[in-house]
Amino acid sequence: MSDRYTFGWSDSIGVFGMTSPKTEREKVVEAAVAQMELFNLFDYAIKLEYVGSRVTCVPAPTDTDEDVLILVKDAVKFAEKCVNAGFVDKGSYVGAAFISLIQGEVNLIVTHEEEFYDKFMLATHVCKSLNVLDKQHRITVFQAILYGKAYGKP
């Protein structure tokens, strides 16, 4: 097929199967996943889901990182493998049940606690269902569900 008729699209199977070119963010996520696979990180993962404002908000923001929540058997061992794969360990938080890792625009929220994972997914579902666009409001929902914090209380 002539380039002048493709308009930036490719016909991968040669008939009518058209696919859009990959966005920069998709390339970043694929590169991160490729590195994770190199170190067999998914052998440690039990469950994983995309989370964050890109999932909860409509329209999804385009100026934010890609967030992935991962439930693992051993969070410390998983974090060590991620660091070996090029992620930066941003640490865990006081009283928090997770470790935060980042590489480029990909953030990993890693936990070994299934209850934390389930509560995080519940908070994600609530924010998505209500289309909570304001970041402070999303934080309030997460604080209430994850930690039982009342609005305006430390």
Side-chain angles (χ1 to χ4, degrees), residues 14-92:
V15 184
F16 297 105
M18 297 179 76
T19 58
S20 62
K22 291 187 177 164
T23 67
E24 194 59 37
R25 292 191 189 283
E26 288 172 325
K27 292 175 187 175
V28 168
V29 170
E30 282 183 6
V33 168
Q35 284 191 358
M36 290 172 70
E37 289 173 346
L38 288 175
F39 290 90
N40 297 317
L41 294 178
F42 288 110
D43 289 345
Y44 298 95
I46 299 168
K47 297 182 200 176
L48 66 100
E49 288 287 337
Y50 283 97
V51 294
S53 58
R54 289 200 178 185
V55 172
T56 61
C57 299
V58 176
T62 57
D63 61 344
T64 62
D65 293 341
E66 198 77 55
D67 299 322
V68 183
L69 176 65
I70 306 174
L71 177 65
V72 296
K73 301 168 195 166
D74 183 335
V76 173
K77 193 172 206 175
F78 187 85
E80 289 171 0
K81 298 254 183 208
C82 288
V83 169
N84 290 340
F87 283 84
V88 175
D89 186 344
K90 298 304 260 184
S92 57

Side-chain angles (χ1 to χ4, degrees), residues 95-151:
F98 68 95
I99 298 171
S100 176
L101 299 134
I102 187 168
Q103 181 188 61
E105 294 184 5
V106 178
N107 296 325
L108 304 181
I109 303 159
V110 180
T111 184
H112 66 275
E113 295 182 18
E114 191 160 7
E115 182 180 2
F116 176 86
Y117 183 95
D118 292 342
K119 285 181 177 182
F120 200 103
M121 290 308 301
L122 174 61
T124 297
H125 175 74
V126 168
C127 288
K128 184 175 182 176
S129 296
L130 299 175
N131 196 27
V132 180
L133 298 176
D134 184 275
K135 184 174 184 170
Q136 286 308 115
H137 293 164
R138 288 194 306 273
I139 290 169
T140 298
V141 170
F142 274 81
Q143 291 292 310
I145 292 175
L146 289 173
Y147 309 113
K149 291 186 177 179
Y151 179 75

Side-chain angles (χ1 to χ4, degrees), residues 1 10-18:
M1 178 182 285
S10 64
D11 188 357
S12 61
I13 59 173
V15 184
F16 297 105
M18 297 179 76

